[in-house]
Amino acid sequence: MKNPNSAETTNPFDFVLFGGTGDLSLRKLLPALYFRHCEGQLADDGRIICIARSDLDTEGFRSMINTKVRQHIPDEHFSQSSWDEFAQRVFYMPIDLSTIDGYDELGKMLEGREDIARIFYLSVAPTLFATICEKVREAGLITEQSRVALEKPLGRDQDSANEINDQLAEAFSESQIFRIDHYLGKETVQNLLALRFGNALFEPLWRRERISDVQITIAESLGVGTRGGFYDQTGALRDMVQNHLLQLLVILAMEPPVSVDPDAVRDEKIKVLRALKPLVGLDAVENTVRGQYKAGAYASGAVPGYLENETVPDDSTTETFVAIRAEIESWRWAGVPFYLRTGKHMESKLTEIIINFRKVPHSIYETADGFNTPNQLVIRLQPEESIRMRIYVKAWGDDMQLQPVHLNMDFNDVFQKRQMIAYERLCIDIIRGNQTLFMRRDEVDAAWAWIDPIREAWEKHNVVPKSYTAGTMGPAAANALISKEGRKWYED
Ligand code: NAP
């Protein structure tokens, strides 16, 4: 297998993009493939075959993406000649994926190319996943070099996720299945691995004896918009915690894998998921906070509350915010709280990980803040990517007064080039068949096994969301969750 980090070109491939006219394809996947094309990473003999029901031919599709994909590529990274070359790779077939006829057509398109990588990327509603898998199998399109890629939501609980995974398993082997959590394709998430396992500095500190608590925040500034109908059936716990938040927690907390081999990494990740202290019954009620945004305002203007969104039922009790105090029952982490929070219409768009180190055991110096703010590692994933280390230094002057300062590392300053979008890395890995950054079935299962009892406890104990004003960092109860242990959420 080729080194996933190398800039080498891929082997020839057919990338079949089911749902090629959809939002994800136009906004993320096709731009990602275009950027990789520009980097010379796609084999000359690499085709992108887009499929949807819209009545277009290849020329019509190419002309459509010329506007609809082009608008997601910043001018400074666009080259007309590269785009023209890229467009020649792109083909379109109008097929209704719920009927068998179209798959025979697709078969003709793929004929004679059985020995190259064949990707079936399911950028369609999850209700079509099973049908597509069944039909590509029946049509005899699955070769040894085939892979299938799919996105969240992978079910809405452990049982439904199992059902989807069973259906996938009827057509594909586990080594052919690429379950995407696009957070894992982000440069900074991979940098978490680099920070932890490429430096000797942090490992001795990365444990309960040195770390007091960990905070992970994924805050969105947008509300549910027109997706209220979907969102109301889902909520923040399923939409964000089961996947993105838990994946970040796992990467932070995992033991060093013996190599970057996909299963070596995923074997360590699953151990963390299995070591999460179950939150069941009243334990779940005490260690979680549900919230729902009400009308509020940003500098750009007022926004309506969740219940005022016309796509949301008037009496909805779906959470748009959740905060959780989690613990990992292992020698490394026993007793260290991991505070997680995520929500819609929060103060700003922000993804941030805070590692709070313990205070000095005995203070011989005076500080203005009484050493109340310990050493801190702040890893920011968005909006900009940076790593900051907070340390104490002696402030200039004639007395020995200590003051906290930040050692700053902004990735933009260091690398000064276009940052890859997450899907670039993920698409290349799928073409190459490297599964390191994709979720194995047992990971998805273990994540749901931890999430389901929380939701059940909310239902059983009638925990309704506390309201918070749009544009703030969530309900007051989320502050109380952390302040009862003498801590507070990190604020820049
Ligand atoms: P979308 O905009 O609704 O696109 C769905 C695509 O499927 C369209 O191209 C649609 O085209 C096609 N389609 C629907 N029924 C079809 C059928 N019977 N036969 C052939 N094509 C059919 O959805 P999306 O937002 O791109 O999301 C795609 C997947 O990614 C979903 O599983 C979603 O949960 C997941 N996802 C999306 C995002 C995102 O940012 N958009 C983020 C995370 C996960 P026609 O109607 O022309 O057939």
Side-chain angles (χ1 to χ4, degrees):
M1 182 193 302
K2 289 192 174 178
N3 173 2
N5 302 313
S6 95
E8 261 180 76
T9 50
T10 65
N11 288 327
F13 62 88
D14 279 334
F15 194 103
V16 182
L17 182 49
F18 293 115
T21 57
D23 174 68
L24 185 68
S25 297
L26 299 177
R27 210 162 44 82
K28 296 287 182 188
L29 300 174
L30 289 167
L33 288 163
Y34 164 74
F35 285 134
R36 287 299 94 202
H37 167 88
C38 293
E39 296 292 330
Q41 233 182 350
L42 304 185
D44 288 343
D45 186 11
R47 301 188 303 176
I48 302 164
I49 302 163
C50 297
I51 290 175
R53 287 167 304 186
S54 306
D55 189 18
L56 293 167
D57 57 12
T58 290
E59 278 318 307
F61 186 79
R62 287 178 183 167
S63 123
M64 183 271 282
I65 60 172
N66 194 24
T67 18
K68 294 213 170 153
V69 173
R70 171 70 185 85
Q71 73 193 46
H72 299 294
I73 301 170
D75 286 345
E76 63 270 31
H77 301 305
F78 182 77
S79 143
Q80 189 61 51
S81 57
S82 300
W83 176 264
D84 293 342
E85 279 169 21
F86 172 74
Q88 293 307 307
R89 298 178 178 278
V90 179
F91 299 84
Y92 179 78
M93 301 183 72
I95 293 180
D96 183 346
L97 295 164
S98 53
T99 67
I100 187 71
D101 315 343
Y103 293 84
D104 293 338
E105 281 299 300
L106 177 61
K108 286 183 204 144
M109 181 81 175
L110 298 174
E111 216 167 83
R113 295 169 66 85
E114 286 73 19
D115 294 337
I116 62 170
R118 180 176 289 182
I119 292 96
F120 298 109
Y121 198 115
L122 310 186
S123 187
V124 292
T127 45
L128 276 174
F129 290 173
T131 313
I132 296 176
C133 289
E134 191 189 315
K135 296 228 159 41
V136 289
R137 182 173 58 83
E138 281 172 12
L141 303 184
I142 303 178
T143 56
E144 221 168 276
Q145 289 244 48
S146 288
R147 355 207 187 277
V148 64
L150 64 159
E151 284 258 357
K152 72 165 193 182
L154 279 170
R156 42 186 293 105
D157 53 24
Q158 196 178 11
D159 288 344
S160 54
N162 260 327
E163 203 177 307
I164 296 175
N165 281 323
D166 284 345
Q167 289 158 345
L168 288 171
E170 279 175 27
F172 296 92
S173 67
E174 183 61 29
S175 65
Q176 294 179 304
I177 302 174
F178 288 69
R179 298 181 190 82
I180 295 172
D181 183 325
H182 74 271
Y183 263 63
L184 297 182
K186 287 180 187 279
E187 292 277 25
T188 328
V189 175
Q190 290 160 59
N191 251 313
L192 280 178
L193 293 166
L195 186 77
R196 288 199 56 203
F197 306 129
N199 296 287
L201 176 66
F202 295 106
E203 175 53 21
L205 306 176
W206 216 257
R207 57 196 63 246
R208 62 190 302 278
E209 291 82 0
R210 295 286 172 260
I211 291 178
S212 112
D213 63 284
V214 176
Q215 303 178 9
I216 310 177
T217 296
I218 305 181
E220 297 176 273
S221 54
L222 295 177
V224 295
T226 52
R227 290 175 70 237
F230 158 79
Y231 192 86
D232 201 63
Q233 301 296 312
T234 309
L237 185 70
R238 289 185 175 112
D239 193 42
M240 297 299 286
V241 184
Q242 187 271 344
N243 35 65
H244 308 319
L245 262 171
L246 283 186
Q247 285 293 322
L248 293 181
L249 176 146
V250 158
I251 286 177
L252 276 175
M254 70 196 264
E255 295 299 317
V258 291
S259 71
V260 289
D261 176 76
D263 278 331
V265 173
R266 297 185 303 173
D267 285 347
E268 295 306 334
K269 287 171 68 193
I270 183 87
K271 287 181 198 162
V272 179
L273 288 167
R274 291 188 179 140
L276 277 170
K277 185 176 172 186
L279 289 176
V280 179
L282 288 174
D283 236 7
V285 175
E286 270 169 33
N287 286 289
T288 63
V289 173
R290 292 182 88 191
Q292 191 183 73
Y293 65 81
K294 60 182 182 185
Y298 291 87
S300 54
V303 294
Y306 182 68
L307 296 181
E308 291 152 52
N309 184 312
E310 56 193 27
T311 57
V312 168
D314 294 346
D315 56 352
S316 169
T317 56
T318 297
E319 78 284 352
T320 62
F321 172 96
V322 58
I324 300 182
R325 180 194 184 281
E327 275 188 55
I328 298 167
E329 298 183 305
S330 69
W331 275 43
R332 188 186 284 269
W333 295 115
V336 177
F338 282 72
Y339 299 105
L340 316 175
R341 68 178 166 167
T342 181
K344 295 217 170 275
H345 262 335
M346 291 176 69
E347 195 176 300
S348 56
K349 182 178 166 75
L350 175 79
T351 301
E352 202 166 59
I353 295 166
I354 316 295
I355 315 287
N356 281 321
F357 291 91
R358 292 192 186 279
K359 292 181 189 175
V360 291
H362 168 65
S363 165
I364 57 172
Y365 295 118
E366 297 278 313
T367 65
D369 63 5
F371 277 114
N372 272 334
T373 38
N375 296 132
Q376 230 167 21
L377 189 61
V378 178
I379 303 165
R380 185 171 277 187
L381 280 74
Q382 55 184 15
E384 79 288 357
E385 302 201 32
S386 63
I387 297 181
R388 302 203 305 169
M389 180 83 202
R390 182 188 169 103
I391 58 167
Y392 281 98
V393 296
K394 177 194 169 299
W396 280 1
D398 59 3
D399 57 349
M400 193 64 189
Q401 185 71 240
L402 269 59
Q403 180 183 313
V405 291
H406 284 112
L407 303 177
N408 282 349
M409 206 282 282
D410 184 326
F411 284 79
N412 278 326
D413 293 345
V414 175
F415 297 113
Q416 299 194 340
K417 62 178 195 181
R418 185 185 68 81
Q419 186 187 48
M420 274 170 76
I421 54 175
Y423 285 97
E424 287 177 64
R425 174 64 195 257
L426 297 175
C427 287
I428 287 292
D429 280 359
I430 298 168
I431 294 171
R432 290 199 170 140
N434 183 323
Q435 289 186 304
T436 309
L437 297 178
F438 299 84
M439 288 178 294
R440 213 164 54 185
R441 177 175 184 157
D442 52 2
E443 276 184 75
V444 176
D445 188 59
W448 279 121
W450 190 72
I451 291 290
D452 283 354
I454 298 177
R455 203 178 24 77
E456 284 155 17
W458 287 348
E459 274 163 29
K460 179 169 175 202
H461 297 283
N462 197 22
V463 179
V464 289
K466 304 205 162 33
S467 69
Y468 63 98
T469 306
T472 66
M473 286 308 273
N479 296 332
L481 177 77
I482 185 165
S483 67
K484 67 186 174 200
E485 294 181 294
R487 301 189 173 97
K488 58 181 183 165
W489 293 104
Y490 173 80
E491 270 177 41
D492 207 357

